[in-house]
Amino acid sequence: MRLWDFHIQIDPEASKPVFLQISHAVVEGIKSGRLSPGSPIPGTRTLAATLSVHRKTVIRAYDELVAEGWITSTPRWGMFVSSTIPELEPASAHAVTAQRRDPFRIGFSLQPHLKEVGPLRAAPGVFNMGSRPDMRLAPRTALARAYRRALTWSPESLLGYSDPRGNPDLRRALSAMLKSTRGMSTDSDDLIITRGSQMGLYLAARVLLKSGDVIAVENLGYPPAWEAFRQAGGRPVPVPVDEEGLRVDALEAIFKRGRLKAVYVTPHHQFPTMVTLTAGRRLALLEFARRKGVAIIEDDYDHEFHYRGRPVLPLASMDRWGVVIYVGTLSKVLAPGLRLGYVAAPRPALEQMTTHRIYIDHQGDHVLERALADLMEDGEVHRHFRRARRIYQERQGAMVAALRNVLGEALSFDVPAGGTTIWARVAAGIDPADWAARAAERGVLIRPGVFFAVDGRSRPFVRLGYAGLNEKELREALKRLVEALPSNKKARRAPRSR
């Protein structure tokens, strides 16, 4: 088919230049199969006269097509569709006239879709009762000043490729913090900075697990960690959790079944039940790992938020045998969007984690890391820790009082010693998943117990976060939760939470 046999519509008022309208129309004709490879197209004078445009406009359109390889120019013979373009399957009329591709159309196969297990996302005006911190408390002004200083301090070292383990100043500052607050004998060379604790878990899984290896995980527990382990080929096997934390005695049977390579645990404030792993079980877990040559991945995701007594020191502080990979985060304390986590581990493990990191990210944001090191060195981060801890403790008190006042017949819970959430058992007659769905319709996001179960079976619990909401917002969120309770089911007083 000749070019002059199909219509090119020119819109002089369109934002797209006329020469591009012409060249795009020719391209669509070629892609649709209506202009076949090697077929002639009219000269610039002919097409200019046909479209009532200046010849220079057509020349510019043809120059564009020649440069992109759609058409060729043969002296004394004229213009032709490039013979190197393969014959294409004719498209539908709708596809030919469409000005942009269908974003949902895909021409290749994908792996099965992963189940999304990330944090709750809230639109404006929606109360998110997940475990996120209050970003309004972040030291934004101080961070902005430190970021500007970092950019002018040594841009040639911070803006180029650098140490994939992270900025050395931040690693030194973190090392000092871990020694003073967690009792860990960690040097800067024992650390790697990651983009959040989730990257730390992912890297740990990559160096520990191969296809079919077993990793014991808490049940109930943290789904994003399980998925990181699965992506490395690991097979998460659930271990019960009770009022003393992980049932360490259950690990022997798992080990005997074979290929147990690691244990994932949140000993300080167990996720999601908030119980603390008792001293006896901590020692038993370390001894089990030492005897069996099994790694412990310790996720200390909210160490700073402990309100009654001193925080329990991490397992890593007692590790003399090199069995613990310690994963921490600053995102929970400062702001999730900063994506700052870290891992302390035996150096052979860190070396392999660093290599894996190079292939997916090479390095983190060294400017941000240098800025944060500045804030840690001058005490700003520590002052923020204390300020946030005081505010979150006050919000926990307000949350507990309000829950008992307005939902005392629907929920039962123990007040945790720290953290940013309440783990509550629902009364008989209330379906947690249904309640969460009805609450979401009213602009409140909560997690039902089923979300934290390895087997995906329903559990009579809900997880309610308070850190990200001030007292006025908490009252409104709880009011909506009451409204979301099933009206046809009178809630009886719930039994104890565990």
Side-chain angles (χ1 to χ4, degrees):
M1 179 176 287
R2 298 171 301 174
L3 183 62
W4 50 86
D5 287 337
F6 74 91
H7 183 58
I8 296 179
Q9 186 174 358
I10 301 298
D11 182 3
E13 305 299 324
S15 59
K16 182 187 295 185
V18 173
F19 84 93
L20 284 181
Q21 295 181 49
I22 296 172
S23 65
H24 289 176
V26 174
V27 169
E28 286 301 318
I30 295 171
K31 291 164 66 176
S32 70
R34 291 189 294 171
L35 287 170
S36 58
S39 60
I41 60 176
T44 55
R45 288 188 177 85
T46 302
L47 186 58
T50 301
L51 300 179
S52 299
V53 298
H54 197 284
R55 183 187 173 211
K56 289 184 178 179
T57 301
V58 179
I59 291 173
R60 190 174 180 187
Y62 279 13
D63 287 345
E64 186 86 7
L65 292 166
V66 170
E68 294 180 0
W70 292 103
I71 66 174
T72 58
S73 174
T74 303
R76 298 192 303 276
W77 288 93
M79 310 294 292
F80 299 86
V81 175
S82 175
S83 59
T84 62
I85 295 176
E87 292 279 0
L88 302 175
E89 181 179 344
S92 66
H94 172 75
V96 172
T97 58
Q99 295 301 305
R100 61 188 299 272
R101 69 176 182 85
D102 179 358
F104 295 100
R105 183 177 180 180
I106 186 168
F108 48 86
S109 61
L110 297 172
Q111 292 296 319
H113 187 66
L114 292 176
K115 178 183 177 182
E116 184 175 352
V117 293
L120 287 164
R121 297 180 179 89
V126 174
F127 296 116
N128 185 342
M129 299 190 75
S131 58
R132 66 175 56 188
D134 191 339
M135 277 73 77
R136 295 167 294 193
L137 302 179
R140 290 172 293 178
T141 301
L143 181 60
R145 287 197 298 264
Y147 198 90
R148 286 195 295 271
R149 286 196 299 270
L151 277 174
T152 57
W153 174 67
S154 183
E156 66 279 0
S157 63
L158 294 179
L159 294 180
Y161 287 120
S162 189
D163 194 333
R165 296 175 300 172
N167 179 264
D169 299 307
L170 180 56
R171 287 189 285 120
R172 280 191 290 270
L174 282 172
S175 171
M177 182 192 76
L178 293 176
K179 289 176 181 177
S180 64
T181 65
R182 291 158 173 78
M184 295 170 57
S185 56
T186 301
D187 295 325
S188 61
D189 287 338
D190 301 320
L191 290 167
I192 180 173
I193 311 299
T194 59
R195 292 189 187 269
S197 59
Q198 187 65 25
M199 176 184 272
L201 295 175
Y202 181 88
L203 293 175
R206 284 291 173 182
V207 303
L208 289 175
L209 304 173
K210 62 181 182 298
S211 181
D213 283 345
V214 171
I215 178 167
V217 300
E218 298 162 320
N219 189 36
L220 307 169
Y222 186 52
W226 308 338
E227 196 55 54
F229 304 148
R230 291 189 182 104
Q231 291 302 300
R235 182 165 61 91
V237 173
V239 179
V241 171
D242 60 20
E243 65 276 1
E244 295 185 36
L246 181 81
R247 287 276 307 275
V248 179
D249 59 313
L251 295 174
E252 290 285 353
I254 297 174
F255 184 83
K256 288 178 181 177
R257 291 198 293 268
R259 301 194 68 172
L260 176 63
K261 297 298 292 294
V263 180
Y264 170 72
V265 65
T266 54
H268 193 214
H269 300 133
Q270 198 277 330
F271 191 101
T273 68
M274 304 305 296
V275 301
T276 298
L277 190 65
T278 59
R281 291 194 181 177
R282 286 167 178 263
L283 293 174
L285 179 57
L286 285 167
E287 176 60 16
F288 173 84
R290 183 194 68 80
R291 287 189 293 108
K292 305 297 187 182
V294 170
I296 299 171
I297 302 177
E298 179 178 17
D299 187 352
D300 197 8
Y301 63 94
D302 67 349
H303 186 91
E304 289 73 21
F305 302 136
H306 198 80
Y307 315 131
R308 297 200 303 273
R310 291 183 59 82
V312 178
L313 294 180
L315 295 168
S317 69
M318 300 183 285
D319 180 20
R320 302 293 178 266
W321 309 279
V323 295
V324 178
I325 293 178
Y326 178 85
V327 180
T329 179
L330 295 171
S331 300
K332 286 282 188 185
V333 182
L334 295 168
L338 295 179
R339 308 311 306 138
L340 282 168
Y342 54 91
V343 178
R347 292 188 188 179
L350 279 182
E351 289 173 3
Q352 289 198 33
M353 293 175 73
T354 301
T355 302
H356 279 277
R357 198 261 177 82
I358 289 172
Y359 289 115
I360 62 171
D361 188 48
H362 196 281
Q363 66 187 52
D365 183 343
H366 278 220
V367 179
L368 177 61
E369 291 173 13
R370 172 57 229 176
L372 188 59
D374 193 1
L375 296 184
M376 294 185 74
E377 290 163 359
D378 69 12
E380 178 62 36
V381 169
H382 182 63
R383 289 189 292 272
H384 173 72
F385 285 176
R386 290 186 297 176
R387 182 169 61 250
R389 181 167 55 242
R390 174 181 54 80
I391 291 172
Y392 293 162
Q393 184 174 8
E394 292 172 354
R395 290 181 182 179
Q396 186 197 65
M399 175 78 153
V400 168
L403 283 176
R404 287 173 173 165
N405 183 42
V406 302
L407 284 166
E409 296 297 311
L411 297 174
S412 175
F413 56 90
D414 294 328
V415 181
T420 57
T421 62
I422 299 290
W423 180 249
R425 178 185 287 272
V426 301
I430 299 175
D431 181 338
D434 177 62
W435 189 15
R438 292 165 64 93
E441 293 173 355
R442 290 163 173 79
V444 181
L445 303 182
I446 63 174
R447 290 288 198 197
V450 64
F451 177 81
F452 309 98
V454 176
D455 58 13
R457 294 170 57 189
S458 179
R459 299 294 198 281
F461 296 96
V462 291
R463 188 168 188 258
L464 306 171
Y466 51 81
L469 304 176
N470 61 36
E471 291 191 27
K472 179 181 178 181
E473 292 165 339
L474 280 173
R475 287 194 298 271
E476 176 61 25
L478 294 182
K479 175 177 174 287
R480 297 185 191 183
L481 282 180
V482 172
E483 295 170 351
L485 281 170
S487 57
N488 62 337
K489 294 182 179 180
K490 181 176 177 58
R492 299 190 297 275
R493 181 172 293 280
R496 289 187 63 79
S497 61
R498 288 184 297 276

